Amino acid sequence: MNLPSLQVGHKTARYCIVQGGMSVRIALHRLAAAVAECGGVGTIGGMGIPPGELRREIRAAKALTDGVVGVNLMYAGYLFDRLLDVCIEERVDYVAIGAGFARGPFKKLHEAGIPGFCIISSVKAARIVARTPGVAGVVVESGQAGGHLGPEDPEISTWELFPPVRAALREAGFAGPIIAAGGLLTRQDVLRALAMGADGVQMGIRFAMTEESAASAEMKARWLAATGSQVTDWSPTGYKSRAIVPHIPFEALPRTRENGGTYSCTNCLKHCLHRDEGRSHCIWNALSNAQKGRVENGLIFCGGRVGEIHDIVPVAEVFRRLTTPSADEAAAD
Ligand SMILES: Cc1cc2nc3c(=O)[nH]c(=O)nc-3n(C[C@H](O)[C@H](O)[C@H](O)COP(=O)(O)O)c2cc1C
């Protein structure tokens, strides 16, 4: 079976494969453009970089491809509004918004003619976004995903979470694409998600572990060596998050000067448990350390099935594996 295409606003991706946005500086122009060139939907992680850098990343991606390239933003981010304005000014192909929700950004995107995708993890959220003008697509992300997690129970799989959330969206009249995300790695996973009614899949860690991802060699080595993942409640955002096992101890994660550490606070979040209450570590420095290779003081987010990925390959090879029918499939045709 050929994988179906995916309509994103007025553009069509040849394959229904979305590369999830990954901040801080994991998914930049090289990764997003490579995915778009292979026929998927490429996404620049817009959280944790200043507006000027995001603008340069978008332009650099567009110089490399005419495929579908968008940006992922976290509503919880302090610079959210300014980063959203950059996306609109640079006419990205779509914007995916997670880690918090408000109607305003989707209205703004709609008025600008840019599709806004909302990342959700519950039936309750489905009922709200289905009635929000300007939401053009929805990503249903289970707790098997990497990074910050939306679901109350992070152990519920995509296979359990997706059907009721999709049903709630369709019952409420939502007609746009609905994408499944969290713990999807293989062609079999894609086919299973499509059979469940998904219009596409979003993948994170598989694309983070490619040659084009901007993660440091040290971070990629930690992913390759990871025996699995764990859910922590360490993040100063207040969300749970999924990171590699074995991980560095919480005490090794960076603190800012205000809290007895050596780093300066970049005010990356609207509400930060570290800055406001001194209860946690500095998330920006922790993620940035890992991305730059200082893994001993870095937070290494990962998807739930990181332990099943044993190679760092070019994005084109990921697409070859996802789009080539297995011998069993070919025999059944
Ligand atoms: C290292 C890493 C960083 C991530 N950062 C973000 C982010 O900034 N914003 C976001 O919405 N999702 C983020 N995610 C989630 C991915 O976009 C994707 O939806 C998720 O990882 C899918 O699960 P998978 O990794 O099992 O494929 C991140 C995931 C990883 C692995």
Side-chain angles (χ1 to χ4, degrees), residues 228-244:
S229 69
Q230 64 180 337
V231 175
T232 76
D233 56 4
W234 296 343
S235 174
T237 56
Y239 290 98
K240 289 179 179 155
S241 61
R242 193 173 279 285
I244 63 162

Side-chain angles (χ1 to χ4, degrees), residues 297-320:
N297 299 100
L299 182 55
I300 304 180
F301 282 163
C302 68
R305 290 174 64 195
V306 65
E308 295 175 44
I309 304 177
H310 304 297
D311 50 13
I312 305 291
V313 292
V315 165
E317 172 61 12
V318 175
F319 271 85
R320 193 195 63 74

Side-chain angles (χ1 to χ4, degrees), residues 18-24 26 45-47 72-74 96-99 119 139 141-142 144-149 158 180-185 202-208 219 223 242 287 299-306 309:
V18 180
Q19 165 249 315
M22 291 176 278
S23 307
V24 170
I26 304 292
M47 171 68 184
N72 169 287
L73 295 177
M74 284 175 68
I97 302 174
I119 304 169
V139 179
E141 196 181 68
S142 79
Q144 297 307 306
H148 290 109
L149 302 176
T158 299
L184 309 180
L185 295 182
Q202 174 165 300
M203 296 183 180
I205 189 64
R206 180 60 274 189
F207 285 115
M219 191 174 187
W223 279 324
R242 193 173 279 285
L287 294 173
L299 182 55
I300 304 180
F301 282 163
C302 68
R305 290 174 64 195
V306 65
I309 304 177

Side-chain angles (χ1 to χ4, degrees), residues 101-107 110 116 118 125-136 172 174:
F101 172 79
R103 289 190 163 81
F106 291 99
K107 184 166 178 273
H110 182 62
C118 191
R127 295 193 179 119
I128 296 169
V129 304
R131 295 193 174 87
T132 300
V135 174
F174 182 74

Side-chain angles (χ1 to χ4, degrees), residues 251 253-264 274 278 280:
E251 297 73 37
L253 291 171
R255 307 213 147 226
T256 52
R257 288 198 191 92
E258 294 79 359
N259 290 290
T262 54
Y263 293 89
S264 42
H274 172 68
S280 190

Side-chain angles (χ1 to χ4, degrees), residues 9 49 63 68 80 91 104 136 146 166 204 233 240 254 268 284 296 329:
I49 57 177
V68 186
F80 175 84
R91 309 297 311 161
R166 177 184 180 273
D233 56 4
K240 289 179 179 155
C268 63
W284 190 88
E296 296 308 327
E329 276 179 67

